[in-house]
Amino acid sequence: MQSGTDQEERLLRSVKTELFIGGTWRPSASDSTFEVVDPSTTQVLATVADATPADALDALQSASDAAESWANRSPRERGELLRRCFELTIERREELALLMTLEMGKPLAEARGEVTYAAEFLRWFSEEAVRAHGEYYLAPEGTMRIMTSRRPVGPSLLITPWNFPLAMATRKIAPALAAGCTVVLKPAELTPLTAHAFVGILEEIGLPPGVVNLISTSNPAAVTEPLLRDRRLRKLSFTGSTEVGRLLMAQAAPNLLRLSMELGGNAPFVIFDDADLDRAVEGVMVAKMRNMGEACTSANRIYVHESRVGEFSERLSQAMSSLRVGRGTEDGVQVGPLIEADAVTKVDSLVAEARERGARVLTGGRSFGPGYFYEPTVLKDVPVDARMAHEEIFGPVAPVFSFSDEDEVVALANSTEFGLVAYLYTQRLDRALRVIDRLETGMVGVNQGMVSNAAGPFGGVKHSGFGREGGFEGIDEYLETKYAAIAL
Ligand code: NAD
């Protein structure tokens, strides 16, 4: 499919690009818009409404007005609405996937996968909505009864990144709505179209006005700051960089907001001497190349036992060099562009620094255009203190390091302020269980390169943040426990 086909034009024209506040689409208060660009061509795809701080406060007012009646809807009713949303999202998979590919760049097959993954949060929390109950028990002294119930936190601000434009939104919206919270969604300015299309689905299923409000903006700092200060807001759920997460936590402190922080990663991928190398290469390809490496879960450092590192590096280079890079809408393309010019500059500088320090390029190592493309790259002999070992690469670059024993590799894996996910490949159960315990991360992939699943609790430790999305824990982020002490 070429840039600007009739199908693409029709799809882009069908997306409502205004703000969605109180159940109504409307322009920004300043009537301004901003452009959304296709990273594979650098052409403008569409313009969307650019919210002002006044629009954001209107959105919060709507969420606040709708809060009580939404909280009082029966859990079953809230669950059924989420279920309808799941079904319609799956029905619209092709449109949502194409839109995501156009604005974000990922290949269509991956975009379809993201729609399915995103929809699973709607299905999972449609089922969890009816299970958010409390307890009733006798106090140990036998003098009173203890009754707990779970109440929605209240109006929540949801801020999402550009790399998974749909899944990061449903991973927050679904548990919030299931818990009985109303929300203001602020999508990333680089990829707002998918969020606009998804909110169109929420409107179509008949979600009551004000339950979900959408404010796209090119100036997130100015638009979210007054919300964080406002007493009507009770919760911030943020997915994005550690740097911005830290800033938002400070801004949220005076208002004592409940917080969920899904931040950056620097995942180690550890391949022990007894690993099945076929599976390990396959796993690295998934963990490294999903989303062109632009994932918080991306394998950032690949540690291979010294006895296997030669063979592994060769096989990984072969696999990486056979990937087809191009516009994500084209048949057979496996790797799309990076999100913007700055992303290419950053990846270029990380590779240049590693090379200057003695790393060898086994394949790739160059950017090309038009569009923000970077070749799938494998680097060997990377010094352990190279910048790319400590920063998120966020691109299709795989640095390979070698290690000699378990203690050494555990120390290397943990030598980062991040703690989101780690991967380990071994066929020994005792080693796997021991290393799972020793890794300072919120999640571990064992003999597989992907941990994401709506039924699993996704989240990090250390500077990767706190809070869990998905799993049984996901709804807790939007609930408070109320306790009543009842005299006998
Ligand atoms: P980012 O922090 O630049 O932006 C994330 C969101 O915050 C966007 O919506 C952006 O508009 C908004 N934002 C930016 N500055 C802001 C400010 N001053 N005030 C209010 N909002 C602001 O991150 P990004 O480049 O969009 O996303 C990539 C980052 O997200 C990576 O670090 C990645 O690891 C992380 N991420 C984490 C997870 C996770 O679950 N842990 C998932 C996906 C991405």
Side-chain angles (χ1 to χ4, degrees):
M1 196 185 290
Q2 295 304 305
S3 172
T5 61
D6 287 351
Q7 185 194 6
E8 292 174 17
E9 303 276 321
R10 265 199 314 277
L11 175 63
L12 288 166
R13 274 199 306 274
S14 73
V15 179
K16 293 179 178 162
T17 53
E18 296 186 308
L19 309 175
F20 190 66
I21 297 176
T24 308
W25 295 95
R26 63 176 228 198
S28 116
S30 62
D31 219 11
S32 52
T33 57
F34 64 97
E35 292 177 339
V36 184
V37 167
D38 178 343
S40 65
T41 62
T42 74
Q43 303 291 309
V44 174
L45 292 166
T47 56
V48 301
D50 199 354
T52 64
D55 291 316
L57 289 169
D58 283 353
L60 179 56
Q61 183 62 49
S62 296
S64 175
D65 290 344
E68 193 177 343
S69 72
W70 182 246
N72 288 337
R73 294 249 175 165
S74 73
R76 178 69 79 201
E77 233 180 316
R78 294 198 299 263
E80 296 286 334
L81 276 165
L82 285 171
R83 174 77 200 193
R84 278 219 287 289
C85 184
F86 159 73
E87 282 158 8
L88 199 50
T89 302
I90 292 294
E91 225 172 88
R92 301 277 163 80
R93 178 164 27 211
E94 284 306 306
E95 290 106 295
L96 288 165
L98 178 55
L99 201 54
M100 213 187 308
T101 293
L102 292 177
E103 68 174 346
M104 191 274 164
K106 68 180 76 187
L108 259 181
E110 281 198 47
R112 289 187 188 109
E114 181 175 339
V115 177
T116 306
Y117 173 53
E120 283 304 326
F121 289 100
L122 299 162
R123 173 150 66 175
W124 176 259
F125 287 107
S126 77
E127 293 156 352
E128 288 299 287
V130 295
R131 296 187 224 298
H133 46 68
E135 287 178 306
Y136 178 78
Y137 52 101
L138 194 63
E141 308 78 23
T143 52
M144 65 170 189
R145 293 181 177 96
I146 292 170
M147 186 177 80
T148 65
S149 56
R150 317 290 310 281
R151 303 294 308 157
V153 169
S156 303
L157 172 61
L158 315 178
I159 302 182
T160 53
W162 51 263
N163 60 346
F164 292 98
L166 189 60
M168 296 304 98
T170 59
R171 207 161 81 166
K172 297 183 189 305
I173 292 173
L177 266 47
C181 295
T182 57
V183 307
V184 175
L185 172 67
K186 196 218 75 63
E189 55 275 32
L190 291 166
T191 58
L193 296 171
T194 307
H196 280 256
F198 177 68
V199 168
I201 289 178
L202 290 172
E203 183 191 21
E204 229 174 297
I205 61 159
L207 197 71
V211 173
V212 173
N213 304 277
L214 171 69
I215 47 166
S216 42
T217 174
S218 64
N219 192 352
V223 162
T224 58
E225 197 269 338
L227 297 184
L228 297 173
R229 262 195 284 125
D230 194 298
R231 288 285 173 88
R232 289 169 294 183
L233 190 71
R234 293 311 321 137
K235 156 104 195 172
L236 165 66
S237 176
F238 172 76
T239 297
S241 59
T242 297
E243 187 191 354
V244 173
R246 205 177 269 128
L247 187 84
L248 295 176
M249 274 183 77
Q251 287 179 6
N255 205 7
L256 291 170
L257 293 180
R258 278 275 301 271
L259 297 174
S260 304
M261 290 280 154
E262 298 285 353
L263 310 177
N266 178 1
F269 195 111
V270 180
I271 300 168
F272 284 102
D273 51 355
D274 64 310
D276 175 334
L277 222 52
D278 291 337
R279 290 182 70 182
V281 173
E282 224 174 89
V284 169
M285 292 301 285
V286 173
K288 178 74 251 180
M289 295 308 291
R290 181 176 177 220
N291 234 32
M292 292 78 73
E294 294 173 317
C296 52
T297 51
S298 184
N300 213 56
R301 299 167 287 151
I302 301 163
Y303 297 112
V304 188
H305 189 265
E306 60 195 8
S307 64
R308 315 288 298 275
V309 71
E311 185 191 353
F312 172 84
S313 307
E314 215 165 278
R315 289 173 63 176
L316 181 63
S317 301
Q318 271 168 17
M320 291 281 269
S321 58
S322 69
L323 291 173
R324 196 162 151 222
V325 185
R327 189 167 193 247
T329 51
E330 284 165 23
D331 283 343
V333 163
Q334 294 155 293
V335 184
L338 298 185
I339 188 69
E340 57 181 342
D342 283 356
V344 176
T345 308
K346 180 184 172 194
V347 173
D348 256 334
S349 80
L350 290 176
V351 171
E353 194 252 7
R355 289 178 82 163
E356 275 160 27
R357 313 263 320 274
R360 280 194 297 137
V361 178
L362 299 186
T363 185
R366 277 181 323 213
S367 56
F368 63 93
Y372 309 124
F373 293 97
Y374 202 90
E375 293 174 343
T377 299
V378 179
L379 298 178
K380 209 177 156 221
D381 303 330
V382 182
V384 289
D385 60 348
R387 263 179 63 206
M388 68 169 60
H390 300 279
E391 293 177 28
E392 272 188 306
I393 301 171
F394 245 57
V397 176
V400 179
F401 307 83
S402 74
F403 70 92
S404 54
D405 65 42
E406 190 178 304
D407 284 344
E408 181 196 3
V409 80
V410 167
L412 283 168
N414 289 338
S415 65
T416 167
E417 74 265 29
F418 297 105
L420 189 62
V421 63
Y423 305 90
L424 73 98
Y425 273 66
T426 177
Q427 300 194 67
R428 280 178 45 188
L429 182 64
D430 61 329
R431 173 179 272 161
L433 294 175
R434 194 168 55 238
V435 176
I436 289 170
D437 284 349
R438 296 181 72 189
L439 289 167
E440 296 168 353
T441 58
M443 303 176 286
V444 183
V446 182
N447 295 326
Q448 61 175 38
M450 181 143 87
V451 293
S452 306
N453 188 298
F458 190 105
V461 298
K462 293 160 74 178
H463 289 192
S464 291
F466 47 82
R468 294 294 178 265
E469 292 190 322
F472 299 113
E473 292 84 347
I475 199 165
D476 294 345
E477 302 287 319
Y478 298 91
L479 291 168
E480 304 276 19
T481 298
K482 176 169 269 181
Y483 153 48
I486 303 169
L488 277 176

